């Protein structure tokens, strides 16, 4: 098998990410979002919001992380942040998926892509911290655009959002979280006043 | 309006690219592909196939071009390559769409993104030539994965594929077109022998 054969096999397999559904909806509420279009959208967020990174980042490395970050869901599925999955079990599934999927590539590319995916997962470098922040920003914006989106369904409170999402977003992009936080507070206040009647 | 407000307005509007449908199907034929997930997939193609570029390219610029390249379809729609659209009319629509969409951003980002989108459209720099090639590779692979995909529907011949697609792919990534060409020839030969019986 030539290098090109291996590369095309990997790219063909990647097509399946378009069929992995996430908890969040499109902004027009017409359907749930899939992980491939989510990946595109978070890359656009990273390009546009890079100036708000807590520390200087290499935007092209951040974009590459976000391009690859959800590929493992082809085998492991999406684990919604408010869905209560077992993190250890999910991580084992994702490691096996990374073995299989990146393993379709020529060895040098397999290793390079695995390296940057592992860097993203570890969330220790400045680039990975910002990439992880941005990955959490996009679903919040989707929920805000769809009248709370999945928050009512999962009974999410503002305090849970702060713990599960806010801390991570603020670590990589504090000014973005501050802007989101005021929008989140406004949404929950509006809901509380509706429930009061 | 703050910079962040303008950036979030742009990112929210971009969500609509997920509802622009293309002619091509997912590889599993479950539904037609949309332009947001297509954009993600072509960026992955660019990263993996960069070594086959006719001339050295800056992969991060190529990825940024492909991240942005279809945004104008939010207003202008997708014009399938075999669909016989009027190119001048489509270009006028896309220019108006670029004015409106990039115009949602802060002025410096509006100008930077418009610049790189125009560079892609002009297809004159090495980065843009390779990006345009890769944008044409992904639908061919989709058609090959779905037993010809849209080719029978649009009565596409191997000669038309060479003129409309091959010349452009070969300009930026000759080795990739050579690999695709042998797969295309095999598909059309198989079809011809089927029609013969």
């Amino acid at each position: 098998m030539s290098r090109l054969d291996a590369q095309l096999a990997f790219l063909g397999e990647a097509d399946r990410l378009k069929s992995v559904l996430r908890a969040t909806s499109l902004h027009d509420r017409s359907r749930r979002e899939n992980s491939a279009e989510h990946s595109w959208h978070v890359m656009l967020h990273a390009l546009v919001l890079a100036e708000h990174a807590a520390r200087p980042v290499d935007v092209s490395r951040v974009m590459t992380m976000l391009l690859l970050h959800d590929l493992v869901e082809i085998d492991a599925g999406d684990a919604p942040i408010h869905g209560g999955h077992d993190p250890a079990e999910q991580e084992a599934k994702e490691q096996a998926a990374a073995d299989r999927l990146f393993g379709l590539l020529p060895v040098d590319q397999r290793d390079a892509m695995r390296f940057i995916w592992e860097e993203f997962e570890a969330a220790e470098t400045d680039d990975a911290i910002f990439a992880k922040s941005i990955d959490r920003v996009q679903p919040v914006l989707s929920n805000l655009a769809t009248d709370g989106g999945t928050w009512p369904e999962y009974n999410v409170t503002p305090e849970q959002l702060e713990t599960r999402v806010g801390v991570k977003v603020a670590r990589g992009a504090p000014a973005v979280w501050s802007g989101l936080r005021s929008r989140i507070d406004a949404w929950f206040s509006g809901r509380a006043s509706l429930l009061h009647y």
Side-chain angles (χ1 to χ4, degrees), chain A residues 70-109:
Chain A
D70 274 344
L71 272 175
V72 292
E73 294 182 359
I74 288 171
D75 289 352
D78 178 52
I81 193 169
H82 304 297
H85 281 65
D86 175 355
E89 190 186 328
Q90 185 66 18
E91 198 196 326
K93 277 194 217 168
E94 292 185 354
Q95 288 289 336
D99 288 346
R100 186 183 80 77
L101 289 161
F102 295 126
L104 296 170
L105 286 163
V107 174
D108 58 318
Q109 291 190 315

Side-chain angles (χ1 to χ4, degrees), chain A residues 49-71:
Chain A
L49 300 176
E51 69 192 49
H52 304 292
R55 296 168 55 89
V57 292
D58 178 338
V59 181
S60 73
R61 293 192 77 247
V62 171
M63 293 217 297
T64 305
M65 283 180 193
L66 292 171
L67 178 66
L68 302 174
H69 81 297
D70 274 344
L71 272 175

Side-chain angles (χ1 to χ4, degrees), chain A residues 90-197:
Chain A
Q90 185 66 18
E91 198 196 326
K93 277 194 217 168
E94 292 185 354
Q95 288 289 336
D99 288 346
R100 186 183 80 77
L101 289 161
F102 295 126
L104 296 170
L105 286 163
V107 174
D108 58 318
Q109 291 190 315
R110 177 197 71 190
D111 293 347
M113 295 200 192
R114 180 66 173 256
F115 182 87
I116 199 160
W117 176 74
E118 297 279 5
E119 180 181 337
F120 171 81
E121 285 293 304
E124 286 167 1
T125 63
D126 292 339
D127 291 344
I129 289 168
F130 180 66
K132 282 265 180 191
S133 290
I134 291 302
D135 189 34
R136 304 239 181 267
V137 164
Q138 186 259 351
V140 171
L141 289 169
S142 164
N143 283 333
L144 284 169
T146 55
D147 193 24
T150 57
W151 295 333
E153 182 186 338
Y154 288 104
N155 292 311
V156 177
T157 65
E159 294 70 31
Q160 287 171 333
L161 272 181
E162 187 62 41
T163 316
R164 295 177 190 167
V165 183
V167 173
K168 287 175 186 170
V169 174
R171 189 171 169 222
V176 175
W177 182 245
S178 164
L180 292 186
R181 184 66 215 229
S182 62
R183 288 165 167 81
I184 290 166
D185 289 345
W187 184 82
F188 278 100
S189 299
R191 188 172 165 82
S193 68
L194 277 176
L195 292 172
H196 192 65
Y197 285 97

